[in-house]
Amino acid sequence: MNDSLKIKGSFTITLERDGKIIEKREVDNTITNTGLAEIANLAGNVSTPTAFTYLAVGIGAVASSSTDTALGSEIVDTGLARAAATVTRVTTTVTNDTLQLVKTWTATGAKAITEVGAFNSASTGIMLGRQVFSAINTANTDTLTITYKFKFA
């Protein structure tokens, strides 16, 4: 019998330029304490819970921590502002055990992206997961796609 539940977050970040993939990374992430509390709210429908449906990128460099509540320096311009993702459930180990958020942005300028986070609001809100990584540099008209997965096991 398995009576424990874990949440494992990870994402794939892909940068395309002129229709060609120039960078693709798979990154594990840190689940936040406030994110775990909101998952409990969602499970019990307590105190008006809100689902995690937004993705954001940033230029922060401070290491991720379970006590984080926001990105270090969220990008709000150059076509890379926080946005609603396409949300589905996918199968990793058992049917529909993984929440998946997918978003593609088109950059309108250059940024050195160093962090990604998943949120439950278009602004502020609760962050479920965050991770910092070495820079991925965008240029005007690049497309950036993030596929963020939260596996419940």
Side-chain angles (χ1 to χ4, degrees):
M1 181 167 96
N2 184 358
D3 62 356
S4 65
L5 175 66
K6 294 180 183 178
I7 303 172
K8 173 150 176 43
S10 64
F11 57 89
T12 302
I13 185 167
T14 306
L15 181 67
E16 292 186 41
R17 184 170 295 145
D18 300 323
K20 296 180 182 173
I21 295 174
I22 61 169
E23 183 108 30
K24 185 173 184 176
R25 297 186 196 168
E26 293 184 19
V27 182
D28 288 336
N29 92 162
T30 301
I31 302 295
T32 67
N33 295 340
T34 56
L36 289 173
E38 190 67 358
I39 294 290
N41 277 344
L42 286 162
N45 196 25
V46 179
S47 66
T48 318
T50 304
F52 295 94
T53 60
Y54 291 87
L55 291 176
V57 294
I59 58 172
V62 175
S64 302
S65 167
S66 62
T67 59
D68 290 343
T69 58
L71 292 181
S73 183
E74 188 170 334
I75 297 172
V76 296
D77 59 3
T78 61
L80 299 171
R82 184 186 305 194
T86 300
V87 181
T88 58
R89 290 183 302 160
V90 297
T91 300
T92 301
T93 305
V94 256
T95 304
N96 293 326
D97 63 346
T98 303
L99 172 67
Q100 177 175 273
L101 290 78
V102 179
K103 176 63 184 161
T104 299
W105 293 265
T106 300
T108 59
K111 289 288 182 183
I113 298 166
T114 56
E115 61 181 338
V116 172
F119 293 85
N120 71 348
S121 176
S123 62
T124 63
I126 296 170
M127 183 170 63
L128 176 56
R130 172 180 181 251
Q131 192 58 44
V132 175
F133 46 88
S134 61
I136 292 178
N137 296 298
T138 66
N140 190 37
T141 73
D142 284 355
T143 57
L144 179 75
T145 301
I146 296 174
T147 302
Y148 214 133
K149 294 182 178 183
F150 294 95
K151 180 183 177 201
F152 294 80

